[in-house]
Amino acid sequence: MGDTGQPTMPIAGLDNDTDADGIDNTASFDIGQLSSVQRLRYDFGYVKTLDIANRVVQEYETMTVSKFACYKADKNFGHRQLSDLSGGYRIYWEDRDDIPCSLKYDAIPYVILGVKCYDCHHGVDRNAAAKKLKKKEAEKKCNEDHAFKRRKQQIQNTKKFSCKAQITIREILKFPEYQIAENTKYKRNQASQRLRAAIESSNSNLREKRLYIHLPSEPDHTGHVVGAVIGTVPEKILIGAQGFIEFKVHPKSNV
């Protein structure tokens, strides 16, 4: 990505613990430590393929001793094309600051192809209604059949604690061929019109697929204990909201 000549803009969401380079001095991880990530901020960056994006998620889970599950993804995510956008497409130059995984202005237009979202394993129970119905039907059947089956006593009947931590991945198509030198409404509209005409006539070959990834930090997790890592050995292993088991690493002694 070339120098746009634009002044450096402040990064939205920075607090007293985050410096001007987007480095959180209290964070337990940095996305730049993970596989092939082009780092934009300590919790935000992009990769070029879905395989690498999946590996980044797995490495993050290992590093933070956490677990995430996908709850929403566009069809054929990671391999989508403009033809997959049934409602047409829109050309963007930047995102609003209040959306997850937002892109800042960098003078290059882009199209959003798809989104994939992960919940923390201890997040909102999105099947709560179905589980409640299933439980009610089972109790009704039990009463009708007069089946006095011994049931296991559950000390904790759920691992869901409404944790708000999420991972967001956005599939983006960038068009560096239509980069603008001046950030004005006129220049944006002019470049957008040229790009749209090129796309419709299949003349725009210079496009770059990126998968932008936003990873949650430890304070984003709520309602449960989050593990830390010493080297490659987990210091804490999650056992729900009740606490954690500690593992200490002992140096090898020469016998």
Side-chain angles (χ1 to χ4, degrees):
M1 188 180 298
D3 184 5
T4 63
Q6 299 295 326
T8 302
M9 300 296 290
I11 299 174
L14 292 184
D15 53 31
N16 294 331
D17 295 321
T18 311
D19 62 26
D21 293 323
I23 299 175
D24 185 342
N25 299 315
T26 66
S28 58
F29 77 98
D30 190 297
I31 198 169
Q33 299 171 308
L34 307 179
S35 290
S36 306
V37 178
Q38 180 63 45
R39 181 189 186 279
L40 299 176
R41 206 173 54 224
Y42 83 94
D43 60 350
F44 182 54
Y46 68 86
V47 297
K48 298 295 184 69
T49 69
L50 181 60
D51 287 342
I52 297 176
N54 291 336
R55 191 158 69 240
V56 166
V57 172
Q58 292 170 0
E59 290 178 0
Y60 169 79
E61 290 176 324
T62 300
M63 178 179 289
T64 59
V65 196
S66 58
K67 188 68 179 174
F68 287 77
C70 176
Y71 78 88
K72 180 177 69 174
D74 288 309
K75 185 179 179 180
N76 203 30
F77 180 82
H79 306 284
R80 290 170 66 83
Q81 302 296 330
L82 288 171
S83 57
D84 294 320
L85 304 179
S86 57
Y89 61 89
R90 180 178 175 183
I91 297 171
Y92 292 86
W93 294 90
E94 61 185 334
D95 289 321
R96 302 191 316 270
D97 289 335
D98 60 342
I99 67 172
C101 211
S102 64
L103 274 64
K104 306 299 180 185
Y105 172 78
D106 65 356
I108 301 175
Y110 61 92
V111 173
I112 302 170
L113 295 178
V115 180
K116 186 173 185 178
C117 300
Y118 296 78
D119 272 340
C120 172
H121 200 49
H122 297 292
V124 176
D125 190 349
R126 300 184 183 277
N127 298 312
K131 290 178 181 177
K132 187 176 181 180
L133 179 61
K134 184 178 180 180
K135 182 179 179 181
K136 190 175 291 186
E137 289 176 349
E139 290 176 348
K140 182 180 178 182
K141 187 176 186 302
C142 182
N143 293 332
E144 289 175 350
D145 295 344
H146 302 286
F148 297 99
K149 186 177 179 180
R150 186 174 182 180
R151 299 179 183 178
K152 294 181 180 179
Q153 184 179 3
Q154 290 183 314
I155 299 174
Q156 182 175 300
N157 62 358
T158 181
K159 59 187 175 186
K160 301 294 185 180
F161 306 111
S162 299
C163 176
K164 294 179 172 58
Q166 292 184 325
I167 295 174
T168 303
I169 306 178
R170 300 173 77 198
E171 187 177 5
I172 301 291
L173 202 58
K174 301 278 283 187
F175 296 88
E177 181 182 2
Y178 296 89
Q179 181 173 346
I180 58 178
E182 188 179 357
N183 185 17
T184 65
K185 185 176 181 180
Y186 174 76
K187 291 292 186 182
R188 288 189 183 196
N189 289 340
Q190 192 178 47
S192 295
Q193 290 173 8
R194 289 191 294 111
L195 174 55
R196 191 173 293 275
I199 290 174
E200 292 175 358
S201 62
S202 301
N203 288 331
S204 180
N205 296 320
L206 293 179
R207 57 184 69 180
E208 182 182 344
K209 174 77 71 71
R210 296 180 182 177
L211 288 99
Y212 286 85
I213 307 172
H214 177 262
L215 301 173
S217 57
E218 187 169 327
D220 293 325
H221 290 271
T222 55
H224 66 98
V225 177
V226 180
V229 169
I230 298 177
T232 58
V233 180
E235 182 186 15
K236 301 174 185 176
I237 304 297
L238 295 176
I239 57 169
Q242 307 304 319
F244 56 84
I245 303 171
E246 290 190 354
F247 283 82
K248 295 183 179 180
V249 182
H250 298 282
K252 292 182 178 179
S253 57
N254 295 323
V255 180

